[in-house]
Amino acid sequence: MGNDFKDRVTIYEVAKAAGVSLATVSRVINNTSTVKDETKNKVLAIIKKLGYKPSGLAQALATNKTTTIGVIIPSANYVYIANMLNGIIEICKSKNFTVSLYTTSHSRSDAIESIEKIIKSHVDGVIVFDDELNEEDIELFNNYAVPVVAVNNRIIASKIACIPFGYEHLIKKVITDYFTKGDKKMNFLHVHNAGRLLSRVENAYIQTHLENDREYDITNCDDSYQRTYQDFKERFKRVKKEYVIAYRDSIAAAVMNAAQDMGLSIPEDIEVLSIIGTKYSSIIRPNITNLYIDMQEVGKRSMYMLVDLINGQLQDKEYKFESIYVKKDSTKF
């Protein structure tokens, strides 16, 4: 019985049948003017005979571009990271790029290993969102002339652009405003290995309290809903009034649920603010007051900037996203 389907013909088979190099086949496919007419006609005849359909490799050989970008993230499990990835992928599709994803699990050794892998893979460019990497690490890409957009970091070089986030000024304003209206002591939830974004906000929190001569608490907290819920059920046996600043929505939800299960009211007794707001801030009850940056737009902007950087057309190498205060039901003001 005959097979109606044949294996996909590769560029290697075309080159072999025509007796030319892979680069010559790719130049013919991309219609460059450096191929003699006789050779070009020969390659085109082989392509027609074999039924070859060009792939991205043929273009890559001719242009020295792979049409692939690398993306470094701490984890794909966080909603805000997933939102950024959606934005990146949306623009990648429209620009005919593919994505190679590298996750680092908040480990600097993982992040350095990812850099080495990406440099060896010869991607066209890289989007980095990892708080464990410092400026020297990211500059490694610059040494190898790999275009990079660094998200949530401020670093600019010949091949490096950045998208910094603005949270510190807003958290200072939120806290200062609360001092004039609120009646509760604040408690900042410190999450180990949560990255520099949380550290910057925590430093702003401490500085604002010191400047206003106010007492404050900092509580070590696992990046886990269940552990945070159990810890705060114990805490709320003795603490009956508090304003809690949580890293993200799921941690904020754990605090609120613990409070309500211990007979406390939101926001009368316990007020909660989430630093990184997502769609869940409007799904969880009560809705969570949060600081918000549209991470899907961050993903889109980072990809647009990277494409321009790759093509040598990026004029402004910094684009800052400022967070906004979204008042919902978990705080009074």
Side-chain angles (χ1 to χ4, degrees):
M1 181 182 291
N3 189 349
D4 291 334
F5 300 96
K6 65 176 180 176
D7 293 336
R8 180 185 177 94
V9 178
T10 69
I11 188 174
Y12 301 99
E13 292 171 276
V14 173
K16 184 178 180 181
V20 298
S21 68
L22 294 176
T24 297
V25 176
S26 69
R27 291 190 191 103
V28 171
I29 292 167
N30 288 280
N31 199 29
T32 61
S33 58
T34 57
V35 182
K36 294 179 181 179
D37 287 343
E38 181 182 351
T39 303
K40 181 177 181 180
N41 291 334
K42 182 179 179 181
V43 171
L44 289 173
I46 294 295
I47 286 173
K48 184 176 181 181
K49 179 181 177 181
L50 297 180
Y52 171 68
K53 302 295 182 185
S55 69
L57 177 58
Q59 183 182 33
L61 288 165
T63 64
N64 200 30
K65 292 183 178 180
T66 64
T67 66
T68 300
I69 66 152
V71 177
I72 300 179
I73 56 172
S75 172
N77 293 329
Y78 298 130
V79 174
Y80 66 97
I81 297 291
N83 289 344
M84 186 184 77
L85 279 176
N86 286 338
I88 291 172
I89 291 169
E90 181 180 332
I91 305 307
C92 277
K93 287 181 178 178
S94 69
K95 300 288 186 180
N96 295 316
F97 279 88
T98 56
V99 175
S100 291
L101 189 62
Y102 300 80
T103 58
T104 62
S105 304
H106 284 306
S107 163
R108 189 166 184 274
S109 61
D110 282 355
I112 296 298
E113 186 178 335
S114 294
I115 289 178
E116 293 174 353
K117 286 179 180 177
I118 287 178
I119 289 172
K120 290 177 182 178
S121 69
H122 303 293
V123 296
D124 291 329
V126 183
I127 294 172
V128 179
F129 183 12
D130 195 302
D131 270 351
E132 299 300 325
L133 292 172
N134 58 36
E135 291 186 10
E136 289 182 2
D137 299 329
I138 295 174
E139 283 175 350
L140 285 174
F141 288 116
N142 205 52
N143 294 340
Y144 287 89
V146 179
V148 176
V149 174
V151 179
N152 185 35
N153 211 327
R154 191 178 186 281
I155 173 172
I156 297 173
S158 61
K159 290 285 186 178
I160 301 175
C162 64
I163 297 180
F165 293 159
Y167 278 97
E168 297 94 316
H169 177 75
L170 182 57
I171 195 70
K172 283 186 173 184
K173 183 178 186 306
V174 169
I175 294 170
T176 303
D177 287 348
Y178 187 78
F179 287 159
T180 65
K181 304 173 186 175
D183 59 349
K184 300 179 183 71
K185 186 179 177 182
M186 288 188 161
N187 182 16
F188 190 95
L189 303 193
H190 173 86
V191 179
H192 184 60
N193 280 341
R196 287 196 297 268
L197 188 156
L198 185 63
S199 295
R200 295 200 309 266
V201 176
E202 183 175 340
N203 289 336
Y205 165 86
I206 293 170
Q207 183 181 356
T208 308
H209 277 80
L210 293 176
E211 288 172 353
N212 289 272
D213 196 24
R214 297 277 185 146
E215 291 186 354
Y216 63 91
D217 282 334
I218 293 178
T219 299
N220 287 322
C221 170
D222 287 329
D223 193 9
S224 158
Y225 171 90
Q226 198 58 43
R227 287 291 299 273
T228 303
Y229 171 78
Q230 294 297 339
D231 289 347
F232 271 83
K233 276 190 73 177
E234 288 298 313
R235 181 177 178 82
F236 291 143
K237 288 179 181 178
R238 53 188 175 81
V239 176
K240 305 301 181 183
K241 295 277 186 181
E242 190 165 61
Y243 188 117
V244 179
I245 300 178
Y247 177 32
R248 53 195 180 91
D249 293 340
S250 62
I251 303 301
V255 173
M256 292 196 306
N257 288 343
Q260 292 175 114
D261 288 350
M262 295 302 292
L264 302 175
S265 297
I266 309 289
E268 289 75 22
D269 300 321
I270 305 298
E271 297 183 65
V272 182
L273 170 69
S274 173
I275 296 170
I276 300 179
T278 66
K279 64 182 180 181
Y280 290 111
S281 64
S282 298
I283 295 173
I284 297 165
R285 296 291 185 268
N287 290 170
I288 304 171
T289 298
N290 64 90
L291 308 185
Y292 180 74
I293 287 178
D294 189 333
M295 291 300 292
Q296 185 152 342
E297 286 301 315
V298 170
K300 290 180 182 179
R301 174 61 59 178
S302 64
M303 191 58 205
Y304 281 131
M305 290 175 70
L306 185 60
V307 171
D308 285 346
L309 193 60
I310 290 169
N311 294 327
Q313 299 172 343
L314 185 62
Q315 300 298 317
D316 191 347
K317 290 185 176 178
E318 179 176 346
Y319 189 100
K320 189 171 186 178
F321 276 81
E322 291 286 354
S323 59
I324 60 172
Y325 181 72
V326 183
K327 166 69 179 73
K328 292 188 180 291
D329 302 326
S330 65
T331 58
K332 287 184 177 179
F333 314 108

